[in-house]
Amino acid sequence: MLMFGITPLTRPLYIFMFITVDLADRFSGPVPELQLASQVLHVLFLFLPLLWALGILPPLDALFLWGMEQALVFGLGGSPMSSNLRLLLMFGVSAGVAVCNYFIPSTLGVVLFSISMGFLLSLDLSQVGTLWGSTTPPPSSFGWNLGYRELLLYLSLLLVAMAEGGLLHHFLGSAQSESLVMGPQALVSYVLLVLFCLCWALREIQGAYVFGGMFLNPLYPKGMSSVKTFKKRNRGLYTAATFRRVFLYLVSPFTMIAFLSMDKSLQLLHRASLSLGFTRAFRVVWQSSEDALLQMAVVVLVRLAAGDNVLPGWDNLGTGVQLLLVGLLIDRLTQFLAKLKFTLTVLVTSWTEKKQRRQSAGTLLAVNASLCPLLLVVVTLSALLSAPLLPLFTLPIFLVGFPRPQRSWPGPVGTACPCLDSIFYQQMSGSLASALRTAFARGSLGSLAPGSHFLGRFQDRMVWIMILERGYGYCTVNVKGLELQETSCHTVEARRVDEVFEAAFERPEHLGFTQGFNLHWGNALTPCAALAVRVYSDARNVLSGIIDSHDNLRKLQDDYLKALVWLLLRYCVQKHKGFLWSTEEGPGVESNVSSLRFRQDSSSLTSFGDWSDEDDLFGPQPARRTVALVTAEVQPGHTALQTGASLPGSVEMDSLFENMALSALQPLQPLGLGIGMPAVDKGQNSEVFRESPGSLPPLNFSCPQSEVFNLPTGWRTAPLLPSRLLQLKPLFPEDWFRFILGEFGPAVQGEATDDMTKALKEDEALKELHAQVALSCLTSLGAESAFTSPSYVYRLYCGDVPWTEGLDWLSSSKELYQLALRAFRFSFKLLFDQASLGPMESPEELFSTLEEYERDWYIGLVTEKGWHDSILQEKPFLFSLGHDLAMGTYTGRVLSLQEQLVQVGRLNGEGVRGQWANLSWELLYATNDDEERYSIQAHPFMLRNLTVQAADPPLGYPIYSSVPLHFPCL
């Protein structure tokens, strides 16, 4: 509500600020700075309407948060925060530390207080809740949560740092030599330079490119044949990374504390600038050790370059303020170079890229060339303000975007536009977190500054990684998943990303100079490293020659009965052992009914479903009774599924069986015995179709152990004549049934003996029971004749079965329906495997294959809840049958969970911020929401379409976005 209240006051408050400066100038004494500010604001006042129209003046909330972030980072030594609340709290506490330092009378007390508070505030304080159990703890490996091992390490580091700083300041702080290149502090200065060179060199060799991405790293492993080979070749770099971590996180902080504790300017601490400078200096030592090492190396080099000469303006600032200015200067210079590279990319590609060349391209280039000084002023002003450089409609027309925090978006981190494919990114986020943790610790991804962006690529998946926070031993990131390749713009940029990564990671062993140079240096993406991540590899196969083969379809019936018998006996074993039937392991009734829907084809009468309206001249048509409908009816409270309308007066035979061959239809039966039509007489003669459980003859098992494999009584009440089942009895696999009993029998017997197992196999009553249930399921699915239609197989796999006289009975039992559907899916997977790998050689092989399906596979549909749950539970394999309506082919999709190399590259952060600023300006100020507008079309160099996708909704549309993830980096 606060933001909604401030936004309408933005323009009046700007006017009020202009008037305030003018009144202060009029009624105060002559102050040159105030007079200059008043004159400048008088001129700007005339251009306020233009500045508002161009969106250059920031909203007050963005201005307030930007100013707070800049003060926290450069004035107090902190880091940008992942949320506005964290930013407010951290700024308040950090400012309190600076105020306390100003009033502490003892310089020793200032040193100890600054070291302790700087260390504590640089830790990931958000994980304190995990220590007390108030939040769900992350993985238990070291550093993921704040445990007793972490507390012991942090306490030891804090005590050693305080002891070191206090002793050095007490004994050597006031005994420094007048010479800036002599004395104990000068000795530490040389150590700092050596540490900086070592850390920089060890970090540089960890990535695929060196020297800012210009040259290939000859030490980086060549070829990406396998994860195992890659790790083996990378062992030398892992060893170098271990030394870097020790130097950076253990040696460097204590060396920098020694340098600061002995500084003679601490004696003049009770000045506001010096108090602020040393508060920041002792904080940044921990908050960003790598940046602090660079800043101190610059200060030391300036001292060494000056020698014994005194630099009055510089030396009077004190070491703390010097470090503050050096840090600000390095940041602004880095931003300037990144913005300049982004500017050149936009300018050059507007002419060299044919698809980006517009009629006005030559004119715009000429204007930019003639106004080159003005362009440099715009880039410089943008860098000084730490504001995004805004290319208007991504054309070579540059403006200074309004200053905003590094996160760029006002909303909370983690909003997305989820879809079915989001589940893949959700699954890989955990393994990706572990891989990123290792990469961050080793320095494989370069310097980690908040606001950095990385792009990961694996098969058709794109992962966008943004650094939100950085502290001592931790890094907070946001991981986004982009849509899979669907649009042409996405495909064009994805192809360029692949080319950039191939040039870096799939290069030959011996390279010449031209091959060692990065030919894609002007691209927004610079490859960094390959990370081993556990992800699902997605393979799709066209089933032509498999699903339409008559030999395969004839064998499908036999495989179905074998799979069903195996599942029935396994069900009995599980029930005997006390395991409840879990619907999460397989496709349950609830998960399937919601996802099954009647499929409309051009070859079926259901393609006229769009013709239906509310005023049917011929009255309402009876709905078709598919398995989805019947199953929905038996579930209390389940809403009816929507079906397509029929042509008035037509008979539904065609729509039921679609393009099935006539030979696949069930033979007509005598009137009253069911002819595949919905109407069944359930009046006085209903006992012909369904017997009550009490009237069923008792089962007389010849073996006492057979009672374990008894099935529920209701499963024997199928509305089928005994003579019909008797005709189908030869289809029942008796040898297979006895083999499974021999395998399952010992599992349910107290003391398994050969005689007991033999008696179990010879129990005719048990065999007849399972034969009756299995053949009843076969008939209820309309599959008593051999499968001869791929369309019918696909419908049955999806659970979309035409009505039969046994459908009501089958769907009335959720467990039996679940077993029957799962058995058919298992049988189709057997068909797929045998067509690809060859037939099963023995019953033992078939038995082990079915066990593997049950244990390691999920076989179903991508729209089912079980499919999504299995991905999150990281089931090793998943299989789905699909139908490509456009090509008229059936496809098999196999997901395999395995460790794969995900290639990661660094994006030009200023290019990303500039394009996001243009996106925000365009949709909020220019209201150009055309989905095909120029500014979101594919740009292979700037990756414009991918960048727009990665923006937070509603301006962007990532299909997955994680909450802020905290990674340990020690």
Side-chain angles (χ1 to χ4, degrees), residues 100 193 215 250 474 535:
C100 291
L193 292 177
F215 299 98
L250 294 179
Y474 86 97
V535 294

Side-chain angles (χ1 to χ4, degrees), residues 336 340 343-344 368 371-384 389 398:
F336 175 81
L340 187 61
T343 303
L344 294 175
N368 279 280
L371 300 178
C372 181
L374 180 60
L375 178 61
L376 290 177
V377 168
V378 171
V379 175
T380 304
L381 181 61
S382 175
L384 291 177
L389 181 67
F398 299 96

